[in-house]
Amino acid sequence: MSGPTGERLPYLVAKMKAPRIAERLLVTAERARAEGWAYEQFLEALLEAEGFARDASGARQRIRAAGFPALKSLEDFDWAAQPSAERPLVEHLAQLTWISEAANVCFLGPPGTGKTHLAIALAMRACHAGHRVAFATAADWVARLEAAQQRNTLEAELRRLERYGVLVVDEVGYLPLERQAANLLFALVARRYERGSMIITSNRGFEQWGEILGDAMVAAALIDRLVHHATMIGLKGKSYRLRERGTGIVPAAQIPAPPTPGPART
Ligand code: ADP
Ligand code: MG
């Protein structure tokens, strides 16, 4: 009885859907023969190449699927410009232990202080670490849940979202929510509570959430669940958007004229 000859390897590697192993098989085998590798070392080299490429393409795929409005990283965050961002704390969060604890992160502060930037940067780290992430504004989350509710699939949608390690809810408070919308946001937070992580950004302090959500009781119940296991980061200072323009003051010429209402402009 004769043993395997290696002839069927290209077929078997294709069957395993391991293109990096196919690519490297001949070169690695030659090197292994030349250097007298153990069998284990040879297999390890091939599997490592395949695993590494899969991790990278998995991260790319997860980042694409997350729906980030822009790609931002901690590396391109200007810490000197934003001392209130508490760099050591954010870098600790970048280790992502809070995700395995189903805990949350909240960035609160005025517009342009880097809330969305830091939220995306942490969420991208999560994608690289293998977590599924979904990003949307609070208004978009509500619209998504409202659509599900109208189709009678709200429960299924909330259950589907449990497969995500991190949900980013950006811009809570930019628009006040209708009562129904506030209840849906509450349903989302309540479902995530101790099951999965959220990153929330808001330009309003929690004391104003009653107003945003149109109901002090719903706001209190939501905040209670959100902050029970959460890291809160309060950002302060001037808007980085204005700062990038140089003076911190927007020249009047750059401010777009407000649209004139009425049929004259149609
Ligand atoms: P916010 O969500 O707080 O309104 P963003 O995070 O969207 O603000 O920041 C506005 C813009 O300025 C983005 O393009 C962001 O990348 C950039 N930005 C804000 N703060 C910083 C910072 N400290 N370093 C680098 N870029 C920043
Ligand atoms: Mg923002």
Side-chain angles (χ1 to χ4, degrees), residues 16-164:
M16 294 295 145
K17 300 197 176 19
R20 265 73 43 159
I21 292 186
E23 252 166 55
R24 286 164 177 256
L25 186 60
L26 287 178
V27 194
T28 312
E30 249 165 52
R31 183 158 168 221
R33 270 190 289 270
E35 297 179 12
W37 288 5
Y39 298 118
E40 290 86 348
Q41 194 180 351
F42 171 69
L43 186 60
E44 185 177 85
L46 287 177
L47 291 178
E48 215 153 50
E50 183 65 38
F52 188 75
R54 280 189 192 185
D55 286 348
S57 76
R60 260 200 311 280
Q61 202 276 331
R62 283 187 292 277
I63 287 169
R64 214 177 309 125
F68 298 122
L71 302 186
K72 303 284 178 181
S73 68
L74 293 181
E75 289 70 26
D76 53 44
F77 194 74
D78 180 355
W79 300 95
Q82 183 45 290
S84 66
E86 296 188 63
R87 182 174 189 169
L89 179 56
V90 175
E91 282 175 349
H92 173 72
L93 293 173
Q95 305 302 309
L96 307 177
T97 43
W98 53 282
I99 298 179
S100 53
E101 294 157 2
N104 303 319
V105 178
C106 303
F107 292 104
L108 305 179
T113 48
K115 301 182 298 295
T116 301
H117 186 128
L118 291 173
I120 295 173
L122 287 183
M124 283 184 56
R125 286 287 176 97
C127 291
H128 281 289
H131 298 285
R132 289 180 73 187
V133 172
F135 178 107
T137 61
D140 287 344
W141 278 115
V142 164
R144 200 182 290 191
L145 296 175
E146 240 158 21
Q149 195 171 45
Q150 271 156 24
R151 291 191 307 266
N152 260 326
T153 55
L154 180 61
E155 177 52 34
E157 178 68 6
L158 290 172
R159 207 175 322 115
R160 195 183 69 79
L161 290 171
E162 284 180 27
R163 300 207 301 258
Y164 288 77

